Amino acid sequence: MKSSFLRYAIILGLLSAIGPFAIDMYLPALPFIGADLAAGENAVQMSLLAFFLSFALFQIVYGPLSDMWGRKLPLYLGIGLFTVASIGCAVATNVETLIAFRFLQGIGGAAGMVIPRAVVRDMHTGVQAARLMSLLMLVFSISPILAPLTGSAVIHFFGWRGVFWAVMIAALIGLVLLSTQLEETRPKEARAESGLRSALKAYGTLLRDRNFLTLTFIGGFGLASFLVYLANSPFVLIDHYGLTPTQYSIAFSINAVSFFTVSQLTGWLGSRFGLLHVMRMAVTGFGLSLAAMVVLMSAGFDQFPVLAVFLFIGYGFLGLVLPTTGVLALEEHGEIAGSASALMGTLQFVISIIAMGLASLFFTGGPVPMAAGIGACAVVALAITQLTIGRRRPVEVGAAAE
């Protein structure tokens, strides 16, 4: 049982990490891409935004498809498209072509973000689901730890185009694991009543579910805080603080270590205190720590160690926020887990894209606008929690459930 549990965590985590791998490994390459393709900073960032846009919007497509066709076929389609688009990115000769293929890459990568969460819900609920989700995130967190370091090494030896050949290889490995190691978790009888009409009905049900939306938005603003950092940190840490690409990759990885280490406490804390209580505590620590970072940075403490320490603390709390909100949001929607996972992912990434866009309007190359964007997202997550879950008691799901 334990070996099967771990096997699924590794496979689902790796499939989930393929899309983010194409982001994290890509970050150290941004300045080099601009120089090679004679593109400005905004144009290069647009290639990142194009990926996020399609990555967000097409999650809502894969969810119903996975409910109708089963979990594996949409994964094959998505990862296959991701593989082809990676080749297109590798051979792009101008930034417009790169942006177009990054958009297609995001469409493919969206499958790996949605469907593994639905597989977790197919297999488990409650604390067991939280444990599997936290293990999945442990594997998933390999991406922000190894990807920037791997990206720096690949860029050093093969240039920025080598990054896309590397993610193509990662996608091919994912296809092999999918075909040989992952069983179908949505049987044919469960798909019998799934279709376009049922998908629309499912989305209507979810959009009227206040508890689902509340948890989705809390997790969404948590994710947004990280993606605002992701989009701006190469320019702040490399250009403003003078870090080398390798030093930047190490700094980025340290935050991921904090995230995944704390996330492994989710199952234990959930069984001891209840997932809802853990989530409330985590959001409070997340919001207050990053708000304190903004105050200090705005007061003139423009020092890399200050930024790094508060991000390490804040993203540690985020390691509890994301798995608990994800499990609690999907808990009561097992019959439409694919659609629920898709809508949750789409809403969360739309929030992130809006936050990234707003942060870019104020970005000056210095750390304070970036810190303000990160802190604002964390404070909004805390405010939603206090105004909704903090004042009422939704059904305590998952605290003791199997």
Side-chain angles (χ1 to χ4, degrees), residues 241 297 301-312:
Y241 287 121
M297 298 292 290
F301 290 90
D302 182 4
Q303 299 174 7
F304 174 67
V306 174
L307 179 69
V309 167
F310 279 98
L311 289 176
F312 183 84

Side-chain angles (χ1 to χ4, degrees), residues 2 14 40 51 53 57 91 123 144 170 262 264 307 333 366:
K2 287 184 177 179
L14 290 175
F51 182 95
L53 183 62
L57 296 180
V91 300
M123 298 173 64
V262 178
Q264 296 315 293
L307 179 69
H333 299 291

Side-chain angles (χ1 to χ4, degrees), residues 258-271:
S258 173
F259 175 88
F260 85 71
T261 300
V262 178
S263 75
Q264 296 315 293
L265 300 175
T266 304
W268 179 77
L269 290 172
S271 63

Side-chain angles (χ1 to χ4, degrees), residues 103-120:
F103 187 84
L104 292 176
Q105 203 180 35
I107 295 175
M113 182 58 66
V114 172
I115 299 174
R117 285 191 304 226
V119 172
V120 170

Side-chain angles (χ1 to χ4, degrees), residues 239-254:
D239 294 339
H240 180 78
Y241 287 121
L243 273 62
T244 67
T246 300
Q247 289 170 334
Y248 164 77
S249 300
I250 294 171
F252 191 87
S253 301
I254 289 173

Side-chain angles (χ1 to χ4, degrees), residues 4 40 59 87 120-121 125 161 174 181 195 200 222 256 268 271 274 280 310 326 341 358 372 392:
S4 175
Q59 289 186 47
I87 297 172
V120 170
R121 180 57 186 82
T125 61
R161 297 179 189 277
Q181 301 296 319
L200 294 175
W268 179 77
S271 63
R280 286 169 170 160
F310 279 98
S341 176
L358 290 173
R392 64 183 177 87

Side-chain angles (χ1 to χ4, degrees), residues 52-232:
F52 277 122
L53 183 62
S54 59
F55 194 69
L57 296 180
F58 280 84
Q59 289 186 47
I60 207 167
V61 175
Y62 286 111
L65 289 181
S66 74
D67 286 338
M68 290 187 286
W69 298 349
R71 308 307 186 199
K72 292 186 70 171
L73 180 56
L75 275 171
Y76 280 123
L77 295 175
I79 298 175
L81 176 60
F82 180 92
T83 303
V84 173
S86 297
I87 297 172
C89 292
V91 300
T93 56
N94 55 65
V95 73
E96 292 80 12
T97 302
L98 177 64
I99 291 170
F101 277 109
R102 285 289 281 173
F103 187 84
L104 292 176
Q105 203 180 35
I107 295 175
M113 182 58 66
V114 172
I115 299 174
R117 285 191 304 226
V119 172
V120 170
R121 180 57 186 82
D122 290 340
M123 298 173 64
H124 298 287
T125 61
V127 172
Q128 285 294 93
R131 287 180 178 139
L132 181 54
M133 189 75 79
S134 61
L135 277 174
L136 185 153
M137 287 193 168
L138 173 61
V139 180
F140 178 86
S141 296
I142 291 173
S143 173
I145 294 172
L146 295 183
L149 292 169
T150 305
S152 296
V154 169
I155 293 164
H156 178 75
F157 289 105
F158 304 105
W160 66 267
R161 297 179 189 277
V163 168
F164 293 107
W165 294 115
V167 297
M168 182 205 70
I169 293 171
L172 290 175
I173 293 172
L175 285 172
V176 171
L177 290 173
L178 174 60
S179 64
T180 61
Q181 301 296 319
L182 187 66
E183 300 170 2
E184 178 59 65
T185 58
R186 186 167 176 82
K188 289 184 179 180
E189 56 270 22
R191 310 174 210 164
E193 297 183 1
S194 297
L196 180 59
R197 181 176 295 179
S198 63
L200 294 175
K201 182 180 178 181
Y203 285 138
T205 299
L206 293 165
L207 289 171
R208 291 191 300 271
D209 186 335
R210 184 179 177 185
N211 193 57
F212 172 83
L213 291 177
T214 295
L215 292 162
T216 294
F217 282 119
I218 293 169
F221 279 101
L223 179 65
S225 76
F226 179 74
L227 295 184
V228 168
Y229 171 69
L230 184 148
N232 295 285

